[in-house]
């Protein structure tokens, strides 16, 4: 059934219940009704009443119909279609078009196989090979599912099968370890690049509402040191606490080399795509500072080059349903989140929470907020829903407690990505990797929870010191 009426009763009841509560003093009814609509929308997404884009279309229509966000906004209003004018929405959409070219040409698979052929003589080396491939592909593929599920997962299955590791009694030979290692790696890569995960620009946009300007470069520089440390430590940690039965894997390096040989030399399309990728990284890192070229314009340039070179056609772009779908629901969620902030709801929530934990130093308060934000991920089956529902309110609360705005914005942003490995449904490649059957739910949750403690320790200690060097606090 496309529309589940029974599930729809849940968000409807939640929205009506909030709308019927008298609005707090100082808030106008429009602000309170927007909160009711927003919460109902998030609940509908979590309950999977309809596809996310369809849910957002209904929310957009209701918002305009009841004049919560007018189609022709006046001063003090948030426009119904304002989200579609947000440049970061188009940045992530265009990056998704570019990622299709990486998969279409086979360049992504070639990169992954290359690193495995170099480091794959040991099983821990195979994990590090996947990590290096993910780092290389991360800036240009804004989908953890596309990288981890579309590129890494099939190769991982081939590697495991080559050693007779299948779901069931032989899963611990190789597959169980590799599945969880790749899941943890992918979450770290999502945190390292603004364009590595579709939800990141939402946080960039919400942070801007609090006066925090996040660029592609500042995001990357902030994540660089703790991210690299985490990429080194976590695969090795998983290897120690959840070891594969097979430690040496010389056949895997040979397997990867054979696969690369079968692919033949790089095609002309792959070479152009590689050059385009390098150009994009250059523009994203220094384009705004040196050439005055915005990151979104840089993405447009990269896409136009691929079109002129006939690597991507207009038909390819039109058919890229995932990108257009993402552009649509992102625009709606950003519009609604912006309205909540403009109309005073986010500030009211922040004041309420900060009042409850008032008296604490901002350092302790920020730590508490990060931990709560991290582990509430268990309640969400969508990374985007988690970000949209909680990021702005937690950021506002941290700032109200006295935390430096940039530190609070970036710490919570990185946290929103690092918790994606907690469960098999938390987002990214988890459903595919867990669905391979190599791990039970207990194994996945248990190992992932222990990894989360190590991950948080790295980002609190190494990240905290690095953020101090950057002058964020």
């Amino acid at each position: 059934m496309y529309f589940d009426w029974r599930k729809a009763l849940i968000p409807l009841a939640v929205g009506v219940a909030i709308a019927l509560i008298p609005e707090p003093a100082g808030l106008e009814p429009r602000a309170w009704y927007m909160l009711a609509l927003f919460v109902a929308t998030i609940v509908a997404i979590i309950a999977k009443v309809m596809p996310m884009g369809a849910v957002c279309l209904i929310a957009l229509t209701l918002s305009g119909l009841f004049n919560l966000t007018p189609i022709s906004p006046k001063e003090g209003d948030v426009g119904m279609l304002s989200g579609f004018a947000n440049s970061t929405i188009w940045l992530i959409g265009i990056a998704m078009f570019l990622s299709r070219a990486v998969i279409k040409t086979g360049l992504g698979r070639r990169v992954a196989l290359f690193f495995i052929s170099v480091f794959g003589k040991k099983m821990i080396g195979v994990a590090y090979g996947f990590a290096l491939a993910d780092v290389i592909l991360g800036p240009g593929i804004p989908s953890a599912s596309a990288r981890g599920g579309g590129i890494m997962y099939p190769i991982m299955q081939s590697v495991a099968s080559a050693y007779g590791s299948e779901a069931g009694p032989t899963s611990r030979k190789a597959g169980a370890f590799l599945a969880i290692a790749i899941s943890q790696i992918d979450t770290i890569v999502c945190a390292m690049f603004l364009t590595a995960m579709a939800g990141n620009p939402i946080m960039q946009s919400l942070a801007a509402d609090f006066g925090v300007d996040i660029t592609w470069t500042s995001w990357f520089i902030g994540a660089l040191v703790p991210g690299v440390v985490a990429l080194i430590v976590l695969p090795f940690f998983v290897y120690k606490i959840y070891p594969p039965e097979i430690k040496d894997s010389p056949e895997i390096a040979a397997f990867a080399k054979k696969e690369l040989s079968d692919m033949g030399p790089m095609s002309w399309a792959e070479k152009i795509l590689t050059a385009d990728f390098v150009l994009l990284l250059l523009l994203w890192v220094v384009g705004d500072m040196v050439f005055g070229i915005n990151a979104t314009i840089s993405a447009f340039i990269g896409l136009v080059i691929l079109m002129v070179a006939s690597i991507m056609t207009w038909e390819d772009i039109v058919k890229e349903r995932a990108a257009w779908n993402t552009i649509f629901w992102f625009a709606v969620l950003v519009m609604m989140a912006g309205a909540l902030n403009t109309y005073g709801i986010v500030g009211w929530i922040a004041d309420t929470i900060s009042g409850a934990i008032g008296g604490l130093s901002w350092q302790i308060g920020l730590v508490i907020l990060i931990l709560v934000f991290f582990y509430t991920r268990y309640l969400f089956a969508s990374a985007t829903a988690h970000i949209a529902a909680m990021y702005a309110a937690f950021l506002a609360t941290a700032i109200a407690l006295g935390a430096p705005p940039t530190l609070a914005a970036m710490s919570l942003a990185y946290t929103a990505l690092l918790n994606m490995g907690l469960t098999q449904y938390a987002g990214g490649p988890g459903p595919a990797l867990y669905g391979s059957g190599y791990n039970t739910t207990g194994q996945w949750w248990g190992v992932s929870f222990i990894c989360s403690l190590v991950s948080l320790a790295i980002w609190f200690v190494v990240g905290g010191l690095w953020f101090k060097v950057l002058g964020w606090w």
Side-chain angles (χ1 to χ4, degrees), residues 204-249:
Q204 179 194 37
S205 178
L206 294 175
D209 292 337
F210 296 90
V212 180
D213 180 26
I214 301 175
T215 65
W216 195 98
T217 306
S218 64
W219 182 296
F220 171 67
I221 291 176
L224 180 59
V225 173
V228 169
V229 172
L231 284 174
I232 294 172
V233 172
L234 274 175
F236 185 74
F237 182 75
V238 175
Y239 183 78
K240 287 298 184 181
I241 68 168
Y242 196 58
E245 294 173 0
I246 297 172
K247 304 295 192 299
D248 297 319
S249 56

Side-chain angles (χ1 to χ4, degrees), residues 125-202:
V126 174
Y128 283 127
F130 278 116
L132 287 168
D134 213 341
V135 168
I136 294 297
L137 298 172
I141 302 182
S143 168
S145 300
R147 292 193 317 274
I151 296 175
M152 309 301 174
Y153 168 64
I155 298 175
M156 182 216 78
Q157 275 206 314
S158 298
V159 169
S161 297
Y163 279 91
S165 181
E166 305 291 347
T170 61
S171 62
R172 290 298 301 272
K173 283 187 174 182
F177 159 70
L178 288 175
I180 291 183
I182 291 173
S183 172
Q184 294 298 320
I185 288 166
D186 210 48
T187 62
I188 300 167
V189 173
C190 284
M192 290 185 69
F193 305 101
L194 177 63
T195 48
M197 193 272 186
N200 294 357
I202 283 186

Side-chain angles (χ1 to χ4, degrees), residues 41-68:
T41 301
I42 297 300
V43 172
I45 291 172
I46 295 172
K48 298 183 179 180
V49 174
M50 298 175 75
M52 188 182 297
V55 171
C56 289
L57 175 60
I58 293 174
L60 179 70
T61 303
L62 292 174
S63 180
L65 178 65
F66 292 104
N67 208 38
L68 301 179

Side-chain angles (χ1 to χ4, degrees), residues 60-142:
L60 179 70
T61 303
L62 292 174
S63 180
L65 178 65
F66 292 104
N67 208 38
L68 301 179
T69 52
I71 191 71
S72 299
K74 300 177 182 178
E75 185 176 354
D77 290 332
V78 172
M80 174 182 170
L81 302 178
S82 59
F84 294 93
N86 189 303
S87 64
T88 57
I89 300 297
W90 289 96
L91 169 62
I92 209 68
I94 295 169
M96 293 184 76
F97 294 138
L98 297 171
S99 71
R100 174 53 53 188
V102 175
I103 297 173
K104 175 184 175 181
T105 61
L107 180 61
R109 185 168 184 269
R110 186 183 294 277
V111 169
L113 288 171
F114 170 75
F115 284 113
I116 292 172
S117 71
V118 174
F119 299 98
K121 293 182 180 180
K122 300 282 186 180
M123 196 59 69
I124 183 62
V126 174
Y128 283 127
F130 278 116
L132 287 168
D134 213 341
V135 168
I136 294 297
L137 298 172
I141 302 182

Side-chain angles (χ1 to χ4, degrees), residues 6 21 65 89 162 170 304 306 337 341 373 382 443:
R6 289 171 296 182
I21 298 174
L65 178 65
I89 300 297
T170 61
V304 168
L306 296 185
N341 186 49
F373 190 49
S382 164
Q443 289 170 330

